[in-house]
């Protein structure tokens, strides 16, 4: 019998881990520079916690049950878990709180596919306790810094606004709003033409289909639709945010898309995706948005605490960086191979190896474990790209051999 990973799971070998670590290290450096602190939440959550936001479908959660017959699920994303943690374990902290994570999530697709992946890796941030365009701009500029740290180009941000989109949909009959929303999100003109709408509403739906592209032109179209005061204020805030982003980071490419509707519909303000066309591949590398009412669902007194964040999809980043040949192509080589030349040299060899390790926190030192001859040891070192061999005798004398890399 050949034992394999469970369906939907996979193993990461040393080179996979090296390449994944290369991405994670660079992202972590950016998070630290922006003053964010890492949070680790439970992999398992109660199902009522996961379902509280009303946006996660139960069928997509990998479910478990414990001895107390509690319904548990493997987290499909991090925002709900962090919201739960923030209001239950961080009740007395001073806001804003800047948090980041780097972890695995689990998602089950509705349709069965052979060997369909269920475990994914994400890195992202949550900025809790701040609202307004300054907080929105911080998160989007932080996202831009992450992509710059990975030397990824070109990329662009698709920016939407959940409240504006919902407000525009309210003009349609309640029983048709979902159909109109789905048709718009899929750019489905045929469905719009077949829905039982008045000529005025059909024209409105067609205009909404075209609310995607250059921000200035899109905002001009929206304003021409006869907005009420609250909706016009939301449009003005969106315009101010875009101007702030462009003045703070010249060259940033933003596509405004007011048909953008995220999978998790707890978003209350801006929503966004980051997309890259690097090396001939078009991939969505991350998503995020503002959720000012989510934390209130978990708060004991129902207090709303504003929040905004994003998640970067490490598998998609990995695939596009691999295609661009920007990832390490080998695991890190050891710097030293310490070889005891006889049984009586073991103690001296281990002592010398430890001295080397203590001299530099990033040095890699291996001990030869015996059973091979002089030439085999040298060949092993060359094959592993080890740069130096320390030959250790029982009397404590050491001969250093530097190897020429191939």
């Amino acid at each position: 019998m050949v034992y394999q990973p469970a369906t939907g799971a996979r193993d990461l070998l040393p080179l996979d881990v090296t390449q994944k670590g290369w991405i994670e290290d660079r992202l972590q450096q950016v998070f630290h520079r922006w003053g964010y602190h890492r949070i680790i939440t439970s992999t398992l959550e109660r199902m009522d916690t996961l379902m509280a936001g009303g946006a996660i479908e139960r069928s997509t959660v990998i479910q478990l049950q414990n001895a107390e017959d509690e319904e548990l699920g493997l987290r499909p994303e991090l925002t709900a878990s962090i919201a739960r943690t923030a209001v239950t374990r961080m009740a007395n902290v001073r806001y804003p709180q800047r948090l980041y994570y780097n972890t695995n999530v689990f998602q089950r697709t509705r349709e069965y596919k052979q060997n369909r992946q269920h475990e994914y890796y994400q890195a992202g941030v949550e900025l809790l306790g701040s609202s307004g365009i300054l907080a929105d701009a911080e998160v989007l500029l932080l996202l831009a810094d992450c992509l710059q740290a990975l030397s990824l180009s070109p990329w662009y941000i698709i920016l939407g606004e959940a409240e504006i989109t919902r407000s525009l949909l309210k003009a349609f009959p309640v029983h048709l709003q979902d159909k109109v929303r789905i048709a718009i999100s899929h750019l489905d003109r045929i469905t719009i033409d077949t829905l039982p709408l008045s000529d005025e509403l059909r024209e409105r739906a067609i205009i909404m289909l075209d609310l995607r592209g250059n921000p200035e032109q899109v905002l001009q179209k929206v304003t021409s639709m006869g907005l009420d005061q609250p909706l016009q204020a939301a449009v003005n805030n969106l315009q101010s945010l875009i101007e702030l982003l462009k003045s703070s980071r010249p060259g940033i490419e933003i596509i405004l898309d007011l048909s953008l509707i995220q999978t998790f519909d707890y978003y209350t303000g801006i929503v966004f995706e980051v997309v890259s066309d690097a090396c001939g591949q078009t991939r969505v590398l991350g998503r995020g948005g503002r959720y000012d009412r989510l934390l209130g669902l978990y708060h004991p007194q129902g207090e709303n605490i504003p929040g905004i964040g994003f998640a970067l999809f490490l598998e998609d980043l990995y695939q596009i960086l691999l295609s661009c040949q920007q990832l390490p192509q080998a695991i890190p080589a050891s710097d030293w191979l310490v070889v005891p030349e006889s049984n009586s040299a073991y103690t001296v060899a281990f002592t010398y190896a430890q001295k080397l390790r203590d001299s530099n926190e990033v040095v890699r030192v291996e001990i030869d474990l015996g059973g091979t001859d002089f030439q085999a040891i040298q060949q092993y070192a060359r094959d592993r790209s080890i740069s130096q061999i320390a030959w250790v005798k029982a009397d404590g004398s050491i001969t250093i051999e530097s190897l020429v890399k191939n």
Side-chain angles (χ1 to χ4, degrees):
M1 178 178 180
V2 178
Y3 290 96
Q4 299 291 343
T7 300
R10 63 195 177 98
D11 303 312
L12 298 180
L13 302 182
L15 180 56
D16 302 322
V17 174
T18 296
Q19 294 172 332
K20 179 172 174 284
W22 186 93
I23 298 171
E24 292 170 338
D25 289 347
R26 280 155 180 76
L27 294 178
Q28 180 173 277
Q29 289 171 23
V30 176
F31 298 154
H32 287 175
R33 287 198 297 268
W34 282 75
Y36 283 69
H37 300 273
R38 188 173 184 182
I39 186 170
I40 300 176
T41 62
S42 173
T43 304
L44 280 174
E45 289 283 3
R46 292 185 173 90
M47 284 298 293
D48 56 3
T49 298
L50 296 176
M51 307 305 294
I56 299 173
E57 293 188 30
R58 182 177 289 268
S59 61
T60 65
V61 179
I62 298 175
Q63 297 182 47
L64 304 170
Q65 207 156 19
N66 64 11
E68 288 74 39
D69 286 336
E70 285 185 304
E71 285 190 305
L72 305 175
L74 299 177
R75 60 191 176 204
E77 53 96 47
L78 263 292
T79 303
S81 295
I82 292 176
R84 187 262 308 158
T85 304
V87 300
T88 58
R89 302 292 305 283
M90 303 170 65
N92 298 316
V93 300
R94 183 182 295 275
Y95 288 104
Q97 284 290 307
R98 292 176 167 89
L99 307 172
Y100 81 89
Y101 57 86
N102 175 16
T103 192
N104 53 353
V105 296
F106 303 85
Q107 298 169 5
R108 173 185 287 154
T109 55
R110 293 177 191 154
E111 70 281 0
Y112 174 78
K113 291 185 179 179
Q114 187 70 23
N115 297 324
R116 178 72 180 186
Q117 186 175 337
H118 294 321
E119 183 178 14
Y120 302 86
Y121 293 91
Q122 293 183 356
V125 304
E126 308 293 349
L127 173 56
L128 306 180
S130 290
S131 58
I133 66 170
L134 287 180
D136 292 350
E138 173 174 317
V139 168
L140 289 168
L141 292 171
L142 169 54
L143 174 61
D145 262 11
C146 287
L147 300 174
Q148 182 176 346
L150 297 173
S151 301
L152 191 61
S153 181
W155 56 268
Y156 52 92
I157 292 173
I158 300 177
L159 181 64
E161 218 285 356
E163 287 299 325
I164 293 176
T165 303
R166 290 192 187 102
S167 295
L168 293 175
L169 286 169
K170 286 179 181 177
F172 297 91
V174 174
H175 68 287
L176 292 177
Q177 286 180 9
D178 279 347
K179 292 181 179 179
V180 173
R181 177 179 62 83
I182 292 170
I184 289 172
S185 66
H186 289 89
L187 304 179
D188 185 357
R189 172 67 183 265
I190 294 176
T191 297
I192 295 295
D193 289 339
T194 58
L195 287 174
L197 298 170
S198 66
D199 290 343
E200 180 182 354
L201 288 178
R202 198 179 315 281
E203 182 63 26
R204 184 183 185 90
I206 291 170
I207 291 174
M208 289 180 68
L209 278 174
D210 294 332
L211 294 180
R212 187 179 196 276
N214 178 277
E216 289 76 14
Q217 294 175 356
V218 171
L219 290 172
Q220 197 171 39
K221 287 181 183 178
V222 176
T223 302
S224 70
M225 296 176 71
L227 309 179
D228 59 25
Q229 187 172 356
L231 189 52
Q232 185 61 57
V235 171
N236 293 342
N237 284 338
L238 186 57
Q239 184 171 10
S240 298
L241 172 63
I242 292 169
E243 290 171 355
L244 178 58
L245 292 172
K246 291 192 170 183
S247 60
S248 301
R249 193 180 185 92
I252 190 171
E253 185 176 354
I254 299 172
I255 296 174
L256 189 57
D257 183 0
L258 295 182
S259 67
L260 183 63
I261 299 168
Q262 294 289 37
T263 303
F264 301 111
D265 58 7
Y266 45 58
Y267 290 113
T268 58
I270 65 165
V271 291
F272 51 90
E273 295 180 343
V274 58
V275 181
S276 174
D277 294 327
C279 299
Q281 294 189 45
T282 299
R283 286 180 178 267
V284 177
L285 302 180
R287 292 189 177 96
R290 173 163 289 283
Y291 47 89
D292 286 350
R293 292 189 286 272
L294 178 64
L295 272 67
L297 299 175
Y298 301 101
H299 197 282
Q301 285 78 45
E303 179 184 345
N304 283 323
I305 299 170
I308 181 173
F310 65 77
L312 287 168
F313 310 143
L314 297 190
E315 276 87 1
D316 292 287
L317 282 168
Y318 168 84
Q319 291 296 336
I320 207 162
L321 290 167
L322 190 66
S323 298
C324 296
Q325 298 183 328
Q326 289 177 237
L327 295 176
Q329 298 303 304
I331 62 175
S334 294
D335 302 286
W336 288 87
L337 177 62
V338 177
V339 183
E341 294 191 37
S342 65
N343 294 351
S344 55
Y346 289 169
T347 300
V348 179
F350 274 112
T351 301
Y352 183 71
Q354 191 59 43
K355 180 181 177 181
L356 290 172
R357 295 185 186 106
D358 291 342
S359 67
N360 188 328
E361 63 181 14
V362 296
V363 73
R364 294 173 183 264
V365 182
E366 296 183 26
I367 291 278
D368 178 68
L369 302 177
T372 52
D373 60 24
F374 178 87
Q375 290 183 334
I377 291 171
Q378 287 184 318
Q379 189 59 51
Y380 170 84
R382 290 192 181 95
D383 291 343
R384 299 292 294 269
S385 299
I386 297 173
S387 56
Q388 296 184 94
I389 300 177
W391 302 93
V392 180
K393 291 182 169 55
D395 63 4
S397 61
I398 298 169
T399 302
I400 305 300
E401 178 183 0
S402 297
L403 300 178
V404 178
K405 293 184 179 181
N406 296 331

